[in-house]
Amino acid sequence: MLRSLCLIATLIPSPGAPPVPHAPSVPHPASRAQKTSPKKAIADYLEGCEALGLSGSVHVQVGKKVLFSGGLGLADRKKKRKNADDTLFEIASATKPFTACAILALAEDGKLALDDPISEHLPGVPEDRSGITVRHLLSHMSGMPRSAAAGYGPDLEVAVKAYLAPDPARPPGREYEYWNGGFALLAGIVAEVSGQTYQDYCRTRLFERVGLEATGFTGDTDLPKKRLATGYDEEGNALRLATGHPYRDYGYQYIGMGGIVTCAGDLVQFMEALEDGEILTKDSVDAMLAGETEFYGLGWSLRRTRAGDRQYGHGGDVAGFHTQWARIPAKDLHVVALANVDGIPMHSISGNLTALALGERPPFPLPPPTAKVSKGELKAAAGTYADEAGNRIVVAVEGSSLVVTAEEYDPSQLAGDAIPERLAEHARAAEQILDLIQAGDTDAIALRLSERVRVAWASQLIGSIWPSHVEKYGELKSATAVRVLDKGNGVFSTMLRLEHESATRPLEIGLVQGKLQLFDLSAPLEPLAGRYTKTDEHKFSCFDWGTPVNKTLTFDGDRRRAKSVAAFAMGIQPTRLQRVD
C-alpha cells in the first residue's frame, strides 16, 4: 500500500537539512529465530504477524511432523468466529495447478495431447491464432499479452474470441508472459473434451479421488457455512464470503484461473496425493514440474531455494483473499499460508515460514518483539492529536494494537504568498518535473534524478506512483507552486497545490543542484498512518512488512488519558502532537 506515494527520497536526508534520527534498532530476525526450535520460532513469528493484522490459516509440515497448523485472527469479524486449520478460503490463482492437473488427466486418458493446437478443442479460435497449443496455455507461452482480458460470461465461443482478439505480443512458444486468460481457455478445453462442466470434472477426477470433501468453488452452496471465511479489505470492510464471486459470477472472466475454495490441510493432502501417484502418473507430474521456463512449468510456479533445492507451488491474490502454497521435496517441506485480509504480502510470510522451518535466516523482516499492553493503556492513548499547523491524526484501538489514520487534508494549508523572483526559477523547474511525469517521459526524468536516487525510480514514478495518485483523486486540472524554500547547499523545496477532479492535494518536489531528490504526494501527517503495537515500556512501533520499526509513538500523560504524543516516521521530522479531543 502506497501511503505517501512518493518514497523517492523520503529516506534520504537533504544536504544541510536537520539530521533525521534513526528508527529504533531491532534485533536481526535470525538472531531471534536461531535461539529457539523451528516450531517455537514459527509460533512466535505468527503471533507477531497476527498482532499486526494478519488473519488467516497456516500449515507448516516437515515430513510427518507438523510445526504449525492453525488459524490467526477472525474468519467472521461480525460473529467473532476465529480462523482455524479447517477454515475455507478462496485461493485465487492457486487454482491454476488444479486446472493443469485436469488437463494432464485428460491427456492421460487420450482425449487430448499437450501439443494439440487449441483450435482442435475450442470454438471460435481465429485462424491466425492456430499456432497456440495447449502446452503454450499451461506454461504462459501463448504469446498473448497479459492485458488480453476481455473474455467474460458463460458463452465459451464468445469468450474465446474476446480473449484472442488483441494482437499477440510475440509468436507462441517464444517467451513467458503470465496470462490469466489462458487458464480460462484451459477450463473451456476441460469442459469441451470431458463433456462435463469444468467444476464437475475437477470434483470427480481430482477432489473426490483424493477425498477433499470440503473443497469446491465460488458459487457452491453445499460447503460448510461455519467453515467459510469472510474476506476483508485493509480498512476492515467485509468484501465477500469465500464462496462469493469476486467478478459477478463464475464465468470465463475467472473460471480456471481462480475460484477454488479450500483449506490449508486439503492443499497439503492434494500435494501428497499428487506426488504419490494417486492423481496422475509420475511422467505427468514430472512433465508439469520440468520447467517450460525458469519460473514456470505447466500450471506450477517454480524456483530454487538459497540452498539450490527445487521449490514448486503457486500464489494467488484476489480482493479479500491471498494464498501462498509451497513445496520443497528435498526437505519434505509443505508451507501453506492463507489470508482473508488485504494489505499483507503473503509471499513474505511464506518465505519467512520456509526459512524458520529449515532453521535458516528469514529473508524478510520479522515483526518487532511486543510488550504486554493493558486495555487501560490502549484506551488512554486513543484520541485525536494535532501538530502546531493543525494537522490531525486519529488514534483508535483495534484488538491489542493502535491504528493511526491521518484526518482529511485541509487544502487551506496550501495558500501561499507570491513567490519571490529569486526563487521563481526553482518553482518553474519543479513544475517542469511534474509536466514530464504527466507526459510519461521516463528518459527525461531519469536524466534529472539526483545521484543519490536510483535510476529505477523514474519508471516507478511514471508507471505506478503517479497513476495510483491520479486513480485515487481524479485527473489533474491544475498545478500551482505556492511556496519555495531555500534549504541551503543548493537544496530547494517547492510545494505545489494540485487541483484534481475530486480533491486538492499537496505535492512537494525537492531539487538538489537542479536534480530531483524528493517527490512527495503525502499530506503532512500521512506517513504516521498504520498499525502500532507496544514494543517496550513507553513506546508503540509500526511495522510495514518491508522495513522493521520505521515509525514510533510515545505518549505522555497519566494512565487514564494521554495528553500528547511524540511521533517519528521516515519522511517527516520528529513531531509532537497535542490532544485536541
Side-chain angles (χ1 to χ4, degrees):
M1 180 169 151
L2 294 171
R3 292 204 179 275
S4 67
L5 299 178
C6 66
L7 304 184
I8 277 191
T10 54
L11 306 183
I12 306 174
S14 301
V20 177
H22 295 288
S25 62
V26 177
H28 191 282
S31 67
R32 286 187 269 136
Q34 301 298 334
K35 294 179 181 179
T36 59
S37 67
K39 188 171 185 177
K40 187 175 188 308
I42 289 171
D44 290 346
Y45 171 57
L46 290 174
E47 182 180 359
C49 292
E50 184 177 21
L52 293 167
L54 175 60
S55 176
S57 184
V58 168
H59 185 102
V60 182
Q61 179 178 330
V62 178
K64 297 301 181 182
K65 183 177 182 181
V66 176
L67 300 181
F68 188 95
S69 183
L72 310 165
L74 298 176
D76 187 323
R77 299 186 186 188
K78 185 176 181 180
K79 297 181 179 179
K80 306 297 182 185
R81 177 164 53 86
K82 295 182 178 180
N83 278 314
D85 55 1
D86 65 349
T87 300
L88 300 174
F89 301 78
E90 203 246 290
I91 60 171
S93 284
T95 296
K96 290 180 173 68
F98 288 90
T99 303
C101 287
I103 290 289
L104 268 291
L106 290 167
E108 287 185 357
D109 292 342
K111 294 185 176 181
L112 60 77
L114 298 186
D115 294 316
D116 287 347
I118 62 173
S119 57
E120 292 187 11
H121 306 294
L122 289 174
V125 176
E127 185 176 344
D128 59 356
R129 304 290 187 272
S130 60
I132 300 175
T133 67
V134 174
R135 185 187 301 275
H136 290 148
L137 296 185
L138 286 168
S139 58
H140 296 295
M141 298 278 282
S142 68
M144 296 299 294
R146 185 167 186 167
S147 58
Y152 208 97
D155 189 308
L156 177 58
E157 184 170 357
V158 171
V160 169
K161 291 179 178 178
Y163 273 125
L164 296 175
D167 292 333
R170 59 193 65 84
R174 178 171 295 181
E175 293 180 24
Y176 168 90
E177 183 171 356
Y178 192 91
W179 183 40
N180 278 316
F183 275 76
L185 299 185
L186 288 168
I189 291 174
V190 170
E192 291 288 288
V193 173
S194 71
Q196 298 177 266
T197 67
Y198 166 79
Q199 298 98 307
D200 284 346
Y201 184 79
C202 287
R203 286 190 183 99
T204 57
R205 183 60 177 81
L206 303 179
F207 304 166
E208 292 177 8
R209 179 171 294 207
V210 182
L212 306 184
E213 296 179 358
T215 292
F217 296 88
T218 58
D220 285 354
T221 58
D222 57 348
L223 294 176
K225 292 183 179 180
K226 291 184 178 180
R227 289 176 58 183
L228 293 173
T230 296
Y232 296 88
D233 65 18
E234 289 183 73
E235 283 70 43
N237 300 305
L239 300 176
R240 62 185 174 96
L241 275 176
T243 49
H245 296 301
Y247 305 110
R248 194 181 71 178
D249 54 35
Y250 201 43
Y252 281 99
Q253 68 274 16
Y254 200 49
I255 193 170
M257 67 180 80
I260 283 182
V261 178
T262 188
C263 61
D266 277 12
L267 290 177
V268 172
Q269 185 177 339
F270 184 84
M271 184 76 79
E272 290 179 337
L274 184 67
E275 293 178 346
D276 290 343
E278 297 177 26
I279 301 172
L280 298 171
T281 66
K282 183 179 184 302
D283 287 345
S284 292
V285 175
D286 288 345
M288 286 197 296
L289 302 177
E292 297 292 312
T293 70
E294 182 181 358
F295 305 108
Y296 213 84
L298 301 178
W300 294 89
S301 295
L302 308 175
R303 65 179 295 267
R304 291 283 176 179
T305 68
R306 286 179 291 184
D309 295 322
R310 184 178 62 166
Q311 175 176 319
Y312 59 90
H314 217 288
D317 297 284
V318 70
F321 292 96
H322 306 274
T323 300
Q324 285 294 319
W325 179 20
R327 170 70 168 151
I328 303 177
K331 299 293 192 292
D332 203 4
L333 174 65
H334 295 271
V335 175
V336 179
L338 308 174
N340 63 320
V341 63
D342 293 340
I344 297 175
M346 295 306 289
H347 70 279
S348 299
I349 304 294
S350 177
N352 284 344
L353 289 172
T354 298
L356 292 171
L358 300 176
E360 299 174 351
R361 171 180 285 188
F364 302 98
L366 273 65
T370 57
K372 290 184 178 180
V373 61
S374 67
K375 291 182 179 179
E377 187 176 3
L378 293 169
K379 186 177 180 181
T384 303
Y385 300 82
D387 63 12
E388 293 181 352
N391 302 301
R392 298 186 177 204
I393 62 170
V394 176
V395 180
V397 177
E398 188 173 302
S400 59
S401 305
L402 296 175
V403 175
V404 174
T405 54
E407 285 200 342
E408 190 65 31
Y409 182 66
D410 180 2
S412 66
Q413 297 184 47
L414 290 175
D417 299 325
I419 296 173
E421 185 59 34
R422 67 181 184 85
L423 299 176
E425 63 176 298
H426 303 291
R428 288 193 294 272
E431 291 169 344
Q432 289 171 2
I433 292 288
L434 179 58
D435 288 342
L436 292 171
I437 290 171
Q438 285 187 277
D441 196 334
T442 305
D443 292 338
I445 291 296
L447 291 172
R448 285 165 171 77
L449 293 179
S450 164
E451 294 179 357
R452 302 177 69 182
V453 178
R454 293 177 297 164
V455 173
W457 283 114
S459 57
Q460 187 169 354
L461 253 181
I462 290 170
S464 62
I465 293 173
W466 181 252
S468 296
H469 179 77
V470 171
E471 182 179 0
K472 184 173 183 180
Y473 297 108
E475 291 299 321
L476 181 65
K477 294 183 176 181
S478 65
T480 306
V482 294
R483 57 182 174 271
V484 180
L485 298 179
D486 182 350
K487 296 186 174 182
N489 296 326
V491 180
F492 292 89
S493 172
T494 299
M495 182 65 72
L496 293 96
R497 178 186 179 107
L498 304 183
E499 294 287 354
H500 290 275
E501 287 179 339
S502 63
T504 299
R505 297 292 298 175
L507 167 60
E508 182 182 1
I509 292 180
L511 302 177
V512 180
Q513 306 297 339
K515 297 289 188 177
L516 179 63
Q517 182 166 284
L518 178 68
F519 188 90
D520 188 354
L521 288 158
S522 65
L525 296 182
E526 282 179 359
L528 291 176
R531 180 186 294 269
Y532 292 74
T533 55
K534 191 177 180 185
T535 50
D536 64 29
E537 185 177 356
H538 303 291
K539 190 173 295 179
F540 287 80
S541 301
C542 183
F543 179 78
D544 70 0
W545 305 100
T547 304
V549 195
N550 66 349
K551 308 176 187 181
T552 61
L553 301 175
T554 305
F555 294 89
D556 291 327
D558 57 39
R559 294 182 178 179
R560 295 183 177 181
R561 186 175 175 83
K563 296 180 180 178
S564 67
V565 58
F568 168 86
M570 292 294 186
I572 66 172
Q573 293 298 318
T575 304
R576 180 166 291 279
L577 302 99
Q578 301 296 324
R579 180 183 285 275
V580 294
D581 58 357

